[in-house]
Amino acid sequence: MTALAKRACGPCTACCIDLKIVAPELKKIARVPCPHLSGKGCGIYETRPGVCREFLCGWRLFEDMDNSWRPDLSGILTMRRAPSEMPAAWQNAPYGMHMVVLTGQEAVLRPAFLRYVAQAMARGIPIFLSAASPYITLNEHVPAGADASLLKQRLAELYPLLNAARFGAGLCQRIRFLYRLQIDREYQKYLGKSAA
Ligand code: SF4
Ligand code: SF4
């Protein structure tokens, strides 16, 4: 089934800059503008490659994301993940959302972000969060049923870990990041068992 866009990109060009593209007709690394990007958007729009024609970010796909979620405005680029693209533990979920932080911590502390993500997790939708770093499955680091306020507290702790492991950070920082995330996950499991 072909996904249908709910809205047009407008002036956003986030995916043309932030995503890695590997297709026969276009290859580019992440966080580098596509060579076809001009000051007025795609310079080859009418003949752009199929990979570009078919790509729909989450904001264009999910009607319940309001206009403040447009990636260049929100600092968050969302991509839908099919169950087959998700870790085994989440393959019974109807779909997942990979959210890439394009800007900084303010993007994940925005009230609209916190409300939307808390509601999605309450419905069992996994949220994979990355910031030019390895992703974390947010649901595994936040107590079940967390509201926007608790989510904000957890993200204020988790985001610096993601940021420490950003692309370009040293191997030591990445190892420390993964170690601390593991500790965090075990702690969350412990809290869950204590509450049961
Ligand atoms: S990130 Fe989404 S809204 Fe922005 S240019 Fe790409 S598809 Fe369009
Ligand atoms: S070819 Fe056009 S639509 Fe595709 S990534 Fe480059 S600028 Fe964006």
Side-chain angles (χ1 to χ4, degrees):
M1 185 181 72
T2 304
L4 295 175
K6 308 299 181 201
R7 41 177 80 98
C9 299
C12 180
T13 55
C15 59
C16 305
I17 299 169
D18 285 283
L19 294 187
K20 176 180 176 181
I21 300 178
V22 182
E25 60 278 54
L26 179 63
K27 292 184 177 52
K28 73 172 234 27
I29 59 173
R31 294 168 294 281
V32 171
C34 170
H36 300 300
L37 201 54
S38 74
K40 294 180 182 168
C42 178
I44 57 164
Y45 188 78
E46 293 306 325
T47 56
R48 66 196 186 287
V51 65
C52 304
R53 289 176 187 278
E54 286 163 22
F55 179 73
L56 287 179
C57 73
W59 174 70
R60 293 187 63 201
L61 195 55
F62 296 113
E63 280 177 290
D64 57 356
M65 285 187 153
D66 67 24
N67 285 341
S68 74
W69 277 89
R70 201 178 77 197
D72 61 325
L73 300 177
S74 64
I76 301 285
L77 174 47
T78 302
M79 287 166 285
R80 187 186 191 279
R81 291 284 176 247
S84 60
E85 299 172 309
M86 303 197 296
W90 291 97
Q91 286 184 357
N92 287 331
Y95 62 88
M97 300 173 105
H98 187 163
M99 295 187 170
V100 181
V101 185
L102 306 176
T103 50
Q105 189 167 19
E106 69 282 0
V108 298
L109 300 183
R110 199 170 65 93
F113 175 93
L114 295 165
R115 274 195 310 275
Y116 187 95
V117 168
Q119 286 168 7
M121 290 197 301
R123 299 198 317 271
I125 304 299
I127 304 292
F128 308 109
L129 188 69
S130 65
S133 62
Y135 76 81
I136 59 169
T137 306
L138 194 53
N139 314 52
E140 294 172 0
H141 295 277
V142 176
D147 62 9
S149 160
L150 181 53
L151 181 58
K152 183 177 183 179
Q153 281 177 33
R154 293 296 292 130
L155 279 166
E157 297 158 4
L158 286 166
Y159 185 81
L161 294 179
L162 276 179
N163 201 35
R166 285 180 80 86
F167 176 81
L171 185 61
C172 282
Q173 280 173 296
R174 282 186 174 234
I175 290 171
R176 203 177 302 134
F177 158 81
L178 293 169
Y179 176 72
R180 287 183 61 187
L181 278 180
Q182 182 62 27
I183 298 285
D184 181 82
R185 191 174 301 163
E186 293 305 320
Y187 182 58
Q188 290 303 317
K189 279 189 201 157
Y190 167 76
L191 288 182
K193 279 185 193 150
S194 307

